[in-house]
Amino acid sequence: MFRSLRIIAVLVAALLCALTLGAGPIPPPGPNPAWVRSLEEAVSRGTRLTETYRPGQTAALSELTAQKSKLDELLSAVPADPPEQVAATIARGQLLAEQLAAIDVWWTLDDDAAAVADASLVPLADTTPESRIALRADMRKVAKGVIEDVACGEVWTLLTNHQKQRLGVPLESHDHLNSTLEAIEGQARSVLTERWYPQFLNRSISWLTYAPGIQKKAFEMAEFLEGGQFTSTDARAFYYYFYYCAKPPR
């Protein structure tokens, strides 16, 4: 009897083995459905935000930044060998993340300008606290404007003729500030002397710090925007120029 039971057990094991081999390897589990839904929602929401965003909309920019963080988090957990439909959503998410990065870089301008201005302000014993506060505020505002203008000029050089045509901008020229230290200092002085005496500015501002600091920040922005090529025609530079720089050239 025991011998019969052993024979039956061997036969059952052999049958199960044959069935398993015949069925082929067990496919790996698919992506987490909750993760896929979250990614689809993030892509949909982010796309709508980029389509309606306009420069100067602080609340919208804050929401775009939050959406970018959410999208980056989801894309950091991309599964291996996703199904075709999921892979297409992942690709759209990756493209959108680069576009959001181009928009989001503008968010740092206030801090960058403040850092340049604060590092360049010379403490003077004969200056009132009110004057120092007012001059610092003007220096920050001017630094921000010049960084923007120089960065746009640098980004312009990164665009192909086809991209410029898509922007509706003539190819011959543009009206952004030259990136030389002389041009940067000249523009900053021109704006600041509308409210301050040149002699006071010469005593209160370290121009050897201020102009190079502005130039450095603009170059850093352009260097970041040069990356992120995500289609044959679009890149971070294209989208940054579209949102923040496009205007009729001279």
Side-chain angles (χ1 to χ4, degrees):
M1 177 178 177
F2 291 111
R3 183 179 178 184
S4 299
L5 290 174
R6 284 199 299 271
I7 293 172
I8 293 172
V10 170
L11 291 173
V12 170
L15 178 61
L16 290 174
C17 183
L19 290 173
T20 301
L21 291 174
I26 298 175
N32 185 320
W35 177 87
V36 174
R37 284 195 301 273
S38 296
L39 180 63
E40 290 173 344
E41 292 170 0
V43 170
S44 177
R45 178 60 178 160
T47 300
R48 289 197 300 272
L49 287 171
T50 58
E51 289 174 349
T52 58
Y53 171 71
R54 296 294 179 271
Q57 297 176 336
T58 304
L61 183 58
S62 180
E63 190 173 359
L64 277 167
T65 301
Q67 196 65 27
K68 179 181 180 299
S69 298
K70 181 177 182 180
L71 189 59
D72 288 342
E73 181 180 354
L74 290 165
L75 292 173
S76 69
V78 169
D81 300 322
E84 183 176 347
Q85 185 175 356
V86 176
T89 303
I90 292 170
R92 290 198 304 273
Q94 291 168 335
L95 302 185
L96 178 62
E98 293 292 349
Q99 187 174 348
L100 291 172
I103 297 172
D104 191 56
V105 71
W106 191 84
W107 188 256
T108 66
L109 269 175
D110 283 329
D111 290 340
D112 289 343
V116 171
D118 293 350
S120 309
L121 188 62
V122 177
L124 298 176
D126 60 346
T127 303
T128 65
E130 292 78 11
S131 294
R132 285 181 55 80
I133 291 171
L135 178 58
R136 179 187 288 112
D138 285 348
M139 288 174 63
R140 290 180 175 186
K141 182 178 180 180
V142 169
K144 179 180 178 180
V146 178
I147 291 171
E148 284 184 280
D149 209 1
V150 173
C152 284
E154 293 299 299
V155 169
W156 171 265
T157 67
L158 302 176
L159 302 179
T160 65
N161 285 348
H162 177 61
Q163 288 171 328
K164 292 170 185 176
Q165 288 170 340
R166 288 178 61 205
L167 290 166
V169 178
L171 307 182
E172 311 81 53
S173 182
H174 57 86
D175 63 349
H176 302 301
L177 185 66
N178 191 289
S179 62
T180 65
L181 290 175
E182 292 79 9
I184 291 170
E185 182 174 333
Q187 177 65 13
R189 283 183 180 274
S190 175
V191 179
L192 287 170
T193 52
E194 293 176 3
R195 292 193 57 191
W196 303 90
Y197 289 114
Q199 296 85 347
F200 178 73
L201 294 176
N202 287 336
R203 295 173 56 234
S204 303
I205 298 175
S206 171
W207 291 98
L208 293 178
T209 303
Y210 194 52
I214 289 172
Q215 184 189 61
K216 180 182 178 182
K217 294 298 183 182
F219 284 172
E220 287 175 351
M221 286 182 63
E223 183 179 358
F224 171 77
L225 293 167
E226 187 174 8
Q229 184 76 30
F230 51 87
T231 73
S232 59
T233 56
D234 297 342
R236 290 175 190 161
F238 173 82
Y239 280 101
Y240 184 87
Y241 201 95
F242 172 78
Y243 283 108
Y244 298 116
C245 307
K247 48 188 175 181
R250 290 174 183 163

